[in-house]
Each structure stands twice: as structure tokens, then as C-alpha cells.
Amino acid sequence: MCGIAGIYQFNQESPSRDAIFRMTKAMAHRGPDADGLVISGPVALGHRRLAIIDLSPAGNQPAYSSNGRFCGVFNGEIYNFREIRATLTGHTFKSTGDTEVLMEGWARWGLDLLPKLKGMFSFAILDQQTRELYIVRDRLGVKPLYYSQHTTFFSFASEIRSLLTVLPGKPLVSEEALFSYFSYQS
């Protein structure tokens, strides 16, 4: 199942380690096999891992591209990762999973990787050079990805309970959204 979380501070200060830890701890049930976090400039990324494809520690996250420029967290499965991996010549893979393929594909193609991906996924990738943060989910939203924007930061996670750990106050319930959810289940 796995779970991802992140914070982007608009003032360019580093998010607190405690905040991203609270976010990942709130979804510990999504990934009992490993957890990890990274803080890079104004961005914190966190991950809870349920090992499925690559059971070794090489599949732990946050993951990095081999050139070190990109750092990311990933939840899901890329069904065609073996085909994409075969096109990534010139790279010696250290794992047998889809996360490393995602990171190397992003390093090579950037946004042009997205049409190549077949699967169910949500992920966040930070370009540590430009400080751009990309947050992506599959076309149908099979893997959940919730987000919240405030005056000083943007946060995202695989579960709402994770977001609630960093919100400055109790969020208000939108009656219109609640009606839509109960009517259309979205």
C-alpha cells in the first residue's frame, strides 16, 4: 500500500522534522516495512513502505536519481516498469523495483515520462537544483493523494489524517463537498 507525505514552505525555510514525522507516523499502517524522510531546503518528503516488488532495502524511500538532482517518494505500482527500465540504457540499476525506474526515468525525461507510465500511482519528486516540486497521481486517481494549501505552506499526503497533523487549526467541513461525496462518492 505505502504512503507518501510532504510539506513545501512558501517562505523558503526548512519544514520541521517533527512535522513530517507526524505526517508519516499518522499513516504507519500503510507501510510497516520501512519509513524515511528527507528535508531539502523548503521541502520535506516522507514515506511509509510496504515492500512488494523489491523486498530489499534498496527499495526504501525517499529515493534519489543517480545524478542526485531528483529526490522522490512513491506510492503505487508501475505495471510497465520493466519495459521502461530496458530503455534506460547507461544506468546500472541497484534495485529490482519500479521506484528506481521512476527516478531514473524522471531524470532522463522529466514530465515527458508521464505518458509512458502505465499503472496506479501517486508520487512527489523534488528537483533539488531548481527547488521545483512535482506532485503526480495516476489518471484515474486510484492511489489517493490529498493536499492542503495555507498562507505559509502547502502539504500533501496519501491520507487526510496525515494532513490533519500539520494543519494550524481544525478544518471546516464544506457542506457542498460533503453532499458531493455522499452523492457521487468523490
Side-chain angles (χ1 to χ4, degrees):
M1 182 170 9
C2 294
I4 64 172
I7 302 169
Y8 188 105
Q9 291 284 136
F10 297 140
N11 63 7
Q12 299 301 301
E13 292 180 11
S14 295
S16 79
R17 181 171 291 278
D18 181 58
I20 193 69
F21 178 75
R22 284 194 319 269
M23 292 180 80
T24 58
K25 185 178 178 184
M27 55 185 175
H29 60 280
R30 295 183 71 90
D33 296 325
D35 65 335
L37 60 91
V38 65
I39 298 173
S40 179
V43 176
L45 299 175
H47 187 263
R48 294 298 304 207
R49 181 176 186 214
L50 177 64
I52 296 175
I53 296 176
D54 182 348
L55 304 180
S56 78
N60 289 348
Q61 299 180 42
Y64 294 85
S65 60
S66 60
N67 64 11
R69 179 175 176 175
F70 302 99
C71 174
V73 289
F74 167 62
N75 172 30
E77 184 178 353
I78 299 170
Y79 302 140
N80 64 331
F81 81 93
R82 288 179 183 87
E83 291 83 27
I84 295 171
R85 179 182 172 134
T87 67
L88 291 167
T89 56
H91 175 71
T92 303
F93 285 88
K94 296 175 181 76
S95 72
T96 59
D98 48 2
T99 303
E100 186 177 6
V101 172
L102 173 67
M103 297 307 298
E104 292 308 314
W106 191 271
R108 180 158 306 172
W109 299 300
L111 289 170
D112 290 335
L113 171 66
L114 297 179
K116 301 176 191 309
L117 299 178
K118 295 178 184 167
M120 55 178 183
F121 50 82
S122 62
F123 62 84
I125 294 180
L126 171 65
D127 183 331
Q128 297 188 106
Q129 203 171 75
T130 64
R131 295 286 184 227
E132 293 175 307
L133 178 65
Y134 298 88
I135 302 171
V136 178
R137 67 163 194 150
D138 62 80
R139 293 153 191 84
L140 298 176
V142 175
K143 288 296 176 183
L145 185 62
Y146 300 94
Y147 63 91
S148 179
Q149 182 171 331
H150 295 277
T151 55
T152 60
F153 69 96
F154 175 87
S155 57
F156 65 91
S158 297
E159 292 188 2
I160 292 173
R161 80 175 84 197
S162 183
L163 285 178
L164 292 175
T165 67
V166 295
L167 295 182
K170 187 175 180 179
L172 300 175
V173 175
S174 164
E175 290 183 21
E176 182 180 334
L178 192 60
F179 176 79
S180 292
Y181 178 76
F182 285 125
S183 298
Y184 308 110
Q185 295 183 347
S186 68

